[in-house]
């Protein structure tokens, strides 16, 4: 807590995206309990905030947020109204619902679904709760839908996964950046300054995106490929880099393995073939390869565009291959990185919330990892469950024979954010029992048997880890409403009712101290990080294995985190999207974000100022396509895929390809983009193919 000129203020971070902008809160004088102030001292955003951050306090209002537990009066009718209840009744109902499913169908009939917005402490304790209190393998989280392909490719190449292996400020000082399927102008506007500074310093920016986004408009070169062909594009650039003699043979020999196989795969993707596959002219491919190859230092940064594909892991590997072949990794000012999406997308995947991982980013199938974590938890390692179902597979199993029959869901809204969302909603409705912990009554919470109102952001203390691997501390600035409890207190109370009274502390710092021990020696090592250090240093980069270790802002400078210290090329080849356009569904659909909303919109759709800037869904169509369809700006369009239908007004723009339409995914109801998206999964990361599927489009009135 610090004191500002006009009252007591608390240093904290924005509740939304992975940039985790620093901000300061002081008691509010108006409708909101706190007022958001700039905090220029935090280095990442230096005081800048986007509209979401500036208005974040609106979600603290009692009329917006949940203020008391709710239970469904009629247990057999998911559409029956919810009524207020005491915490005792709510806890009893949740414990009874989970226990009944396990008695009837076995431990594996209960599942847990978490979120990438949960603090490190919550993510850690949720994983422990699933495996120790519920003894189920089935825990996963919505981060699987976010950056899991980048994580898998990162680990495959470098042996460790941290979104950015360098601070964001390094972007401004490099010579060339290829930004693939990333649109920070909409997703994290304060980060744009680093790209602007890059160009002011003489560096070049190449943007790869099927849409000419506001980010692409600032690029030196914009490559506009067909959705789902980013892998072929990367192979074509690698082909040209090698053919033009720009591969860094010395770096490849000293610091990598597997180049010969990757080279062979790339050489089969000659430029004319890549032009046919991607739609990007050979001349533009050659210009991009030369720009990147000639730059002394360079970076490739990906986001959801190449990652949310049924070949997302291989696609990211192809871009990493390009970095490695150009000698642009493992040295200052160069490297591959992923711009993570959710607020704690990085930390949320490090502490055991994933179906296949234990805290410290350890594999759940590794016997040594199981022994280490079991010792910290005080349980028998042989009693720890093995890997469970990945996020979509878990949701797809709900209410089925052999599937999950009772679900505890914290901080996620899959009724809007999951692929094939209408089907997922049906599966949720088929559950024997659903408990949801959230701050607002989301579309998913409305279907619950019990809704648990939990604390948010300004009402609690806890750590998150931003896209740079910087572990930071959110400070409590205001008390929560009387009948709201922290997620940690919820897990504490539920564990006690399930017969596990020890091991689930309510105090976040106590949980963090245990997390440090559980992570020690793991890939994401937090052992040397403490609340005291974070406060003193305004963030500490992992890995930080000891209290006297300075933390690691830049990874891989001496060696990569593989057993032999070398980065690994992956021999990947192009393959088409799981669903390509045909006579029945002749267009590509791609989905994404707008600056005024966040994720499923559960929070931001409740903020008036944001709704004025981003009031609802829309369908971007190229003027040529609009003429062919006979539709005008604002006319309602029906977009139909093999999985469902969505209706939204047309936005006619030449920033999109004529063969592709775009919808933002922040809304439920008739305009729910994820009613259309394809749950085809990447075989490695289990990421669904949100970014490309086949649709047909026509005036809604004509149907
Ligand atoms: Fe919050 Fe992200 Fe906006 Fe920063 S860029 S204010 S972290 S939503």
């Amino acid at each position: 807590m610090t004191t500002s000129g006009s009252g007591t203020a608390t240093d904290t971070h924005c509740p939304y995206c992975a940039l985790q902008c620093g901000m300061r809160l002081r008691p509010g004088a108006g409708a909101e309990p706190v007022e958001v102030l700039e905090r220029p001292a935090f280095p990442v955003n230096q005081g800048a905030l986007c509209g979401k951050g500036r208005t974040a306090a609106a979600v603290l209002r009692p009329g917006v947020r949940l203020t008391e537990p709710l239970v469904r009066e009629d247990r057999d009718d998911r559409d029956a109204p919810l009524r207020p209840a005491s915490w005792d009744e709510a806890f009893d109902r949740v414990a009874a619902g989970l226990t009944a499913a396990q008695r009837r169908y076995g431990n594996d009939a209960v599942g847990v679904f978490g979120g990438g917005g949960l603090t490190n402490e919550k993510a850690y304790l949720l994983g422990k709760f699933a495996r120790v209190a519920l003894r189920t393998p089935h825990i996963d989280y919505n981060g699987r839908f976010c950056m899991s392909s980048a994580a898998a490719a990162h680990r495959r190449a470098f042996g460790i996964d941290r979104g950015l292996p360098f601070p964001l400020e390094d972007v401004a000082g490099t010579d060339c950046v290829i930004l693939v399927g990333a649109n920070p102008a909409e997703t994290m506007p304060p980060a744009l300054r680093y790209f602007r500074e890059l160009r002011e310093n003489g560096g070049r920016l190449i943007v790869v995106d099927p849409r000419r986004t506001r980010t692409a408009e600032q690029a030196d070169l914009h490559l506009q490929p067909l959705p789902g062909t980013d892998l072929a594009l990367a192979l074509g650039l690698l082909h040209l880099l090698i053919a033009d003699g720009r591969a860094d043979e010395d770096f490849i020999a000293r610091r990598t393995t597997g180049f010969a196989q990757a080279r062979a795969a790339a050489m089969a993707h000659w430029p004319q073939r890549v032009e046919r596959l991607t739609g990007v002219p050979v001349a533009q491919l050659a210009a991009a390869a030369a720009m990147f190859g000639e730059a002394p230092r360079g970076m490739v940064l990906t986001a959801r565009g190449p990652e949310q594909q049924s070949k997302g892991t291989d696609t990211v590997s192809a871009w990493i291959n390009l970095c490695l072949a150009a000698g642009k990794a493992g040295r200052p000012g160069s490297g591959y990185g992923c711009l993570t999406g959710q607020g704690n997308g990085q930390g949320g995947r490090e502490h055991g919330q994933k179906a296949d991982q234990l805290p410290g980013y350890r594999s759940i199938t590794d016997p040594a990892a199981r022994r280490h974590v079991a010792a910290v938890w005080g349980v028998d390692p042989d009693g720890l469950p093995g890997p469970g179902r990945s996020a979509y597979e878990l949701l797809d199993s709900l209410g089925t024979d052999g599937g999950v029959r009772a679900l505890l869901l914290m901080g996620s809204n899959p009724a809007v954010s999951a692929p094939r969302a209408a089907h997922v909603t049906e599966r949720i409705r088929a559950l024997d029992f659903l408990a949801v912990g959230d701050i607002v009554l989301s579309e998913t919470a409305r279907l619950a048997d019990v809704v648990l109102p939990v604390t948010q952001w300004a009402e609690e203390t806890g750590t998150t880890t931003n896209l740079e691997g910087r572990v930071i501390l959110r400070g409590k600035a205001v008390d929560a409403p009387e009948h709201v409890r922290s997620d940690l207190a919820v897990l504490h109370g539920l564990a006690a009712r399930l017969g596990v009274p020890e091991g689930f502390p309510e105090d976040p710092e106590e949980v963090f101290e245990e997390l440090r021990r559980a992570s020690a020696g793991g890939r994401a090592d937090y052992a040397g990080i403490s609340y005291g250090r974070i406060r003193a240093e305004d963030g500490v980069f992992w890995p930080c294995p000891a209290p006297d270790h300075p933390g690691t802002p830049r990874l891989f400078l001496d060696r990569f985190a593989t057993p032999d210290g070398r980065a690994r090329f992956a021999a990947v080849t192009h393959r088409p999207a799981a669903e390509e356009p045909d006579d029945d569904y002749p267009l590509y659909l791609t989905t994404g974000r707008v600056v005024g909303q966040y994720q499923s919109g559960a929070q931001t759709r409740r903020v008036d100022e944001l709704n004025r800037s981003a009031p609802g869904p829309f369908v971007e169509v190229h003027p040529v396509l609009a003429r062919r369809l006979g539709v005008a700006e604002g006319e309602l369009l029906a977009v139909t895929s093999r999985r469902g239908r969505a209706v939204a007004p047309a936005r006619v723009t030449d920033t999109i390809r004529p063969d592709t339409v775009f919808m933002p995914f922040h809304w439920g109801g008739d305009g729910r983009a994820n009613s259309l998206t394809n749950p085809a999964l990447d075989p490695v990361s289990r990421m669904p193919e949100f970014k490309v599927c086949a649709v047909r489009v026509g005036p809604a009135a004509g149907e």
Side-chain angles (χ1 to χ4, degrees), residues 77-79 398 424-432 447:
D77 179 5
R78 289 228 168 268
D79 296 313
L398 298 180
V424 166
T425 303
E426 273 173 35
R427 297 269 42 94
I428 291 170
R429 296 177 75 92
L431 278 164
D432 294 4
L447 301 173

Side-chain angles (χ1 to χ4, degrees), residues 65 112-130 139 141 344 347-348 351-353 408 410-411 437-439 453-464 474 484-491 504-509 511-512 515 531:
R65 60 154 311 130
V112 175
F113 199 89
L118 301 179
T119 62
N120 291 323
E121 292 81 357
K122 296 176 187 180
Y124 171 81
L125 211 63
L126 197 62
K128 182 178 178 183
F129 180 82
I139 171 166
Y141 79 129
N344 199 25
H351 307 299
Q353 203 183 182
L408 171 65
M410 307 285 278
D438 210 328
I439 59 178
V454 292
T455 50
Q456 55 173 313
W457 165 64
E459 300 162 346
E460 58 188 15
T461 300
T463 62
T464 60
R474 287 187 189 160
V484 168
R485 296 195 183 181
S486 76
D487 306 63
L488 301 181
V490 167
L491 296 177
F504 292 91
E506 296 184 45
D507 176 57
E509 191 163 2
V511 176
F512 190 81
L515 177 160
Y531 275 26

Side-chain angles (χ1 to χ4, degrees), residues 113-116 141-148 342 345 349 354 687:
F113 199 89
Y141 79 129
N142 64 15
R144 178 79 64 179
F145 299 157
C146 189
M147 57 334 97
S148 56
Q342 295 193 77
R349 66 185 187 262
K354 284 180 87 171
M687 166 72 85

Side-chain angles (χ1 to χ4, degrees), residues 528 533 544-551:
R533 267 194 78 175
C544 182
D548 60 356
H549 187 284

Side-chain angles (χ1 to χ4, degrees), residues 585-628:
Y585 300 93
L587 296 166
Y588 289 101
L589 168 74
T590 191
T591 62
R593 301 153 206 256
V594 295
V595 67
Q597 301 289 347
Y598 177 70
Q599 301 293 84
S600 77
Q603 295 139 283
T604 49
R605 281 187 275 121
R606 289 169 163 81
V607 179
D608 292 343
E609 186 179 327
L610 297 178
N611 283 333
R612 281 195 289 276
S613 76
F618 55 86
V619 188
E620 275 188 0
V621 291
H622 191 276
V624 169
L625 177 61
R627 271 197 300 279
R628 211 169 73 218

Side-chain angles (χ1 to χ4, degrees), residues 316-333:
V316 174
S317 286
W319 288 102
I320 292 175
N321 286 350
L322 182 69
C323 271
L324 293 175
K328 293 181 172 64
R331 56 196 185 89

